Amino acid sequence: MNFTFLKAIGSSRALLLINGCADNSADKDGNGVIDSKERAAEMNYDAFIPMKAGLWETKVVFDDINVPTLRKAQKQQIMDAVAKSASSQSCLTDAEAKKPGADFFGGDGAEKCVYKAFDVSGQTVNMKLSCAMEGMGTVDMALAGVMGETEFIYDSKVDVRLPMVGTVAMKGKTTGKYVGACPAS
């Protein structure tokens, strides 16, 4: 199986979360898409609680996948591969910890995704985004959870839409924790 779609999900740092009633207050122009300026304004507006600067470790575990045509072992293999790709370590500078970029929550490349919902209020994070996968389809993510100065936990819902396969739907949890100072460069 080709795991190119892992890059669209990969390096996920703080999120693959689900929220049934996300607040779309960030969509100031009402066009249904929350652009980078609207996401930045949302981070400033809703009293984001700063994270601790330093090295953060993110782990993703999927516990459910819906692909009727695959056997249980194949499903587990896909969930494990996506989780491994999405798990990561990343360093936050002092400035980033006070106001991380909105793409921090969606992983590498998330700044190119289309955000349908984006709400960061204090310790609560809710968002929905859709990311194109270089001619292969799309990844839709719904992210919801809580974060604090040194840890976060999110419920995750990921739908990978592949032209020849259909939708691969996965659910799980993403956890993150501060692990110490960033390594010297």
Side-chain angles (χ1 to χ4, degrees):
M1 174 168 192
N2 185 340
F3 290 104
T4 303
F5 68 89
L6 296 178
K7 286 186 179 181
I9 301 169
S11 300
S12 173
R13 295 185 189 126
L15 54 242
L16 302 176
L17 333 186
I18 185 166
N19 179 25
C21 35
D23 173 29
N24 279 338
S25 63
D27 185 13
K28 300 300 182 200
D29 59 12
N31 68 353
V33 174
I34 299 145
D35 64 31
S36 61
K37 289 180 183 177
E38 289 171 322
R39 293 192 306 270
E42 179 71 6
M43 293 292 288
N44 287 328
Y45 176 76
D46 278 339
F48 173 74
I49 294 176
M51 301 167 69
K52 188 168 178 97
L55 185 63
W56 281 76
E57 183 176 73
T58 300
K59 292 187 181 180
V60 180
V61 177
F62 290 104
D63 55 19
D64 185 39
I65 186 170
N66 183 4
V67 186
T69 58
L70 296 180
R71 295 186 318 262
K72 185 176 180 178
Q74 292 171 313
K75 291 178 182 181
Q76 190 63 52
Q77 183 180 12
I78 291 170
M79 289 189 299
D80 291 347
V82 173
K84 181 178 179 183
S85 174
S87 298
S88 66
Q89 284 192 337
S90 58
C91 263
L92 280 179
T93 66
D94 288 332
E96 290 168 333
K98 290 176 186 165
K99 290 286 182 203
D103 57 319
F104 172 83
F105 299 101
D108 288 343
E111 71 280 358
K112 297 176 185 171
C113 298
V114 175
Y115 287 75
K116 306 284 183 159
F118 187 86
D119 184 29
V120 179
S121 299
Q123 292 183 309
T124 304
V125 177
N126 296 296
M127 64 188 74
K128 292 182 182 180
L129 57 152
S130 182
C131 308
M133 298 182 302
E134 301 178 24
M136 287 192 55
T138 60
V139 176
D140 296 326
M141 294 181 263
L143 318 168
V146 294
M147 63 186 306
E149 181 183 16
T150 60
E151 64 185 343
F152 59 80
I153 186 166
Y154 303 105
D155 291 322
S156 310
K157 182 176 184 271
V158 177
D159 290 339
V160 181
R161 300 180 195 291
L162 302 170
M164 300 293 239
V165 177
T167 300
V168 176
M170 294 178 280
K171 293 180 184 177
K173 295 256 186 238
T174 301
T175 60
K177 65 179 179 176
Y178 170 81
V179 293
C182 292
S185 299

